[in-house]
Amino acid sequence: MLDEQDRETGLVLAFVIAIAIALVLAITLFAAVGVPAMKAKGKPAASATVSQLSATYAAGQLTLTGEVADEATKNRLSQAAKLVFGDKVVDQVKVGANGLKLEARGRMIDFLSRLKQLVSFKISLLGGTASVEGVAPSDAAKSAVEQFLAGFFSDTTKVAANISVSGTTLAVRYNPAALFQEHIEFATNSAEIPESAKARLALAAALLKDDGRKIRVIGYTDNTGDAAINNPLSAERAGSVVKFLEAQGVPVGQLAAEGKGDAEPIADNATSEGRAQNRRVEFVPL
């Protein structure tokens, strides 16, 4: 009889121990899997870092920083910056899978050309907002830039512009209709393109092939000499530039040449520096 009771007691004890072990295992498993899962479910996943693209222009230098989505976008931005701002460009833009995708109605070359009308500026593209701070030399320049910005970006981008007016007179005035301008040191009375100018003209050709618009190449001289010499010489120089660009692959018919002699100076012809600025070639969309 006692043996029967001991056997039953042992069975009950074994059952209780088995239940206890099962509970311990269940609690351990829940702690390892269930709790983290509940936390993950209750907590929103961390969002990917929002990419930003910034362009800062001060003391004659343009600095580009940020990340873009692909190499083509980076190249277009870099080409445009170098053509508009020359060799004073610091390009720190990277390419990444989460990089910024530029959404705009216009081309980057137009954008940078307009901004160069300002004395200084900083633009940041982040989270569907384009924030622009800058200093304009006049009310007219401020109005023109603000109007351009309002129509440049896509409808999904909010533009926040804060541009003040300083009244500063720019040493060099830029034609707002021109994409960019080149200062080519032609020899006196010559229309032959010097070797020193060919690298930048090759860069211009690469951009113009991608751009696709018809462009008028306008040649200018300083005021040394008379119109009988300057007008045909400026036209010949513009024609030489057109021929060079076409040889670089810009489609024939996309470019036209024109000479304006010493008309429309952008700097003071009374100084050697000013005359050098006026001896230029401008690229203006037709």
Side-chain angles (χ1 to χ4, degrees), residues 11-212:
L11 290 173
V12 171
L13 182 59
F15 179 75
V16 171
I17 292 174
I19 293 296
I21 292 174
L23 286 173
V24 171
L25 290 174
I27 292 171
T28 302
L29 182 63
F30 180 75
V33 179
V35 172
M38 290 179 65
K39 288 182 178 179
K41 184 177 181 180
K43 182 180 179 180
S47 59
T49 302
V50 179
S51 295
Q52 180 174 353
L53 182 65
S54 296
T56 303
Y57 180 62
Q61 177 174 285
L62 178 72
T63 302
L64 303 172
T65 59
E67 185 177 5
V68 294
D70 53 72
E71 198 69 36
T73 300
K74 174 178 169 57
N75 289 340
R76 288 190 183 99
L77 177 59
S78 178
Q79 286 177 344
K82 290 175 181 177
L83 287 172
V84 175
F85 292 93
D87 58 357
K88 295 183 178 181
V89 175
V90 178
D91 185 356
Q92 299 175 339
V93 176
K94 299 178 181 179
V95 176
N98 296 319
L100 191 72
K101 294 182 179 179
L102 297 177
E103 296 182 359
R105 296 188 180 96
R107 299 167 173 86
M108 188 54 60
I109 186 76
D110 300 276
F111 179 65
L112 294 177
S113 297
R114 287 287 181 166
L115 287 178
K116 199 172 183 181
Q117 314 306 312
L118 301 177
V119 178
S120 62
F121 64 80
K122 179 176 181 180
I123 177 166
S124 297
L125 302 177
L126 176 65
T129 299
S131 300
V132 183
E133 296 182 358
V135 178
S138 65
D139 288 322
K142 166 182 163 70
S143 178
V145 170
E146 288 177 339
Q147 185 176 359
F148 174 82
L149 291 173
F152 178 78
F153 293 100
S154 67
D155 292 334
T156 59
T157 301
K158 178 183 178 182
V159 179
N162 180 21
I163 300 175
S164 61
V165 178
S166 69
T168 302
T169 301
L170 296 178
V172 178
R173 297 179 295 277
Y174 297 96
N175 178 5
L179 294 180
F180 57 95
Q181 60 190 30
E182 289 295 307
H183 299 281
I184 302 174
E185 291 298 324
F186 291 97
T188 302
N189 295 326
S190 172
E192 182 178 352
I193 298 174
E195 289 296 323
S196 59
K198 291 182 179 180
R200 281 188 55 81
L201 287 178
L203 181 65
L207 182 139
L208 293 173
K209 285 189 289 185
D210 182 63
D211 187 280

